[in-house]
Amino acid sequence: MNIFRLLGDMCHLVAIIILFLKIWRSKSCAGISGKSQVLFALVFTTRYLDLFTSFISVYNTVMKVVFLVLAYATVYLIYLRFRSTYNSESDSFRVEFLLVPVAGLSFLENYAFAPLEILWTFSIYLESVAILPQLFMITKTGEAESITTHYLFFLGLYRALYLANWVWRYHTEGFFDQIAVVSGVVQTIFYCDFFYLYFTKVLRGSGKMTLP
Amino acid sequence: EYNIYDHDEL
């Protein structure tokens, strides 16, 4: 554990909590892509199956359980509890265009051709593109509430901190997880355009982020 | 020594 990894995990947790509380308090999931949240729930489910097979640390186990619970609770709020506020017509990204290539790639490019390893690889590849329905939705409607942009900012910051964590681990432990690093770089690139808009529009102005 | 199959990150 290093400071980049810990801060990264905390940003990830903050992002998920921001989103959950936003929906819970406003009793609305307007502007939120339910598809992205289902994909993240699928990411955590397929990655954390090792909860049943290996123990790493109390921290690791607790964080995994918290992420899983919050991911499913968010999906529950969007699709069941506050379903009437869900903008399904704007959330029109075709997730099969992500799931099929990601599933195919995880069979082709993995560390070991074993069920748990393939599912872990699938979760890594899927996480790198899971935010696309949300970014697509913002591009389509041309705006996002500032709280939604704070959620995306912390999610992007988590990714950027994980890159720093890998640089650190490479130099201190000789750690290099090729699949995670390549996917992580791809994922972080998706946030660059958003980061630019966040700093130039959201933090300087107030209220919603509108696209030019 | 680090084992690639451990997946110790979240």
Side-chain angles (χ1 to χ4, degrees), chain A residues 88-163:
Chain A
S88 56
E89 66 287 346
S90 304
D91 194 12
S92 53
F93 194 94
R94 300 280 297 270
V95 287
E96 57 271 36
F97 293 154
L98 297 179
L99 286 172
V100 172
V102 159
L105 194 60
S106 58
F107 274 94
L108 290 172
E109 202 60 48
N110 49 53
Y111 291 132
F113 202 78
L116 273 184
E117 270 302 308
I118 291 171
L119 285 169
W120 177 85
T121 312
F122 171 81
S123 83
I124 294 289
Y125 294 149
L126 184 60
E127 186 187 354
S128 68
V129 293
I131 200 61
L132 290 181
Q134 180 66 62
L135 296 176
F136 177 77
M137 194 173 181
I138 291 174
T139 309
K140 193 177 176 186
T141 59
E143 60 180 32
E145 280 181 49
S146 60
I147 190 85
T148 308
T149 66
H150 298 327
Y151 161 70
L152 286 168
F153 172 74
F154 277 100
L155 214 51
L157 193 57
Y158 141 64
R159 293 316 313 177
L161 284 162
Y162 254 70
L163 294 186

Side-chain angles (χ1 to χ4, degrees), chain A residues 47-48 60 117 120 165-166 169 175, chain B residues 1-2 4-10:
Chain A
R47 187 175 308 169
Y48 297 160
N60 193 281
E117 270 302 308
W120 177 85
N165 159 56
W166 289 324
R169 290 190 72 178
F175 167 96
Chain B
E1 189 54 23
Y2 178 73
I4 202 76
Y5 305 116
D6 280 348
H7 305 315
D8 62 341
E9 294 182 339
L10 296 167

Side-chain angles (χ1 to χ4, degrees), chain A residues 2 36 61 83 110 114 122 147 149 190 193:
Chain A
N2 58 67
S36 275
T61 301
R83 190 189 180 90
N110 49 53
F122 171 81
I147 190 85
T149 66
F190 288 137
D193 182 46

